[in-house]
Amino acid sequence: MSQAGELVDRQIAAFNHRDLDAFVACYSADARIAQPDSSLLANGHPEIRTVYGELFRQSPELNAEIRARIEVGSFVIDEESLTGFVMAGMPPQLHAAAAYRVADGLIQSVQLFG
């Protein structure tokens, strides 16, 4: 497995444990997380901490399972199954994809699909 894949695995493990500090530590200070419509979900550590902190507090059973992965250079693209998701306007189970761009040992951006 590549270093990029290992980093994304650490980020998924932190997500599943709802460990906000470990989760944020996987991202560059100016990382951007985009929603399926390409609008920004979070831009930078403070917004990542706010958005995911709230998700982690509201979702005690939150879990992401990687169903498939493609690694191409600095990109890691995961097909994910999410359960225990509690966020207003969202279903409790999601089938999604996430395309991570990794550089300098940190996640620089994520494009979410689903």
Side-chain angles (χ1 to χ4, degrees):
M1 179 180 304
S2 71
Q3 289 180 347
E6 289 174 5
L7 173 63
V8 172
D9 281 348
R10 282 197 310 274
Q11 183 254 179
I12 294 292
F15 181 92
N16 285 341
H17 288 101
R18 294 168 311 285
D19 182 337
L20 187 58
D21 291 333
F23 183 81
V24 172
C26 294
Y27 288 85
S28 68
D30 60 350
R32 298 166 58 92
I33 302 174
Q35 300 184 87
D37 67 0
S38 295
S39 65
L40 283 180
L41 176 64
N43 186 16
H45 280 180
E47 289 183 13
I48 293 170
R49 188 171 289 282
T50 297
V51 169
Y52 284 88
E54 185 67 20
L55 175 63
F56 292 170
R57 279 189 294 281
Q58 292 182 27
S59 306
E61 301 298 319
L62 187 63
N63 188 68
E65 178 185 327
I66 305 306
R67 292 187 172 178
R69 173 172 284 172
I70 299 169
E71 294 187 44
V72 179
S74 63
F75 289 90
V76 176
I77 304 161
D78 284 344
E79 177 188 6
E80 301 176 354
S81 174
L82 296 116
T83 56
F85 199 86
V86 178
M87 184 178 275
M90 299 293 291
Q93 296 181 343
L94 301 168
H95 179 229
Y100 302 90
R101 186 175 60 83
V102 175
D104 301 322
L106 294 169
I107 298 169
Q108 304 295 316
S109 64
V110 182
Q111 175 66 55
L112 302 173
F113 301 95

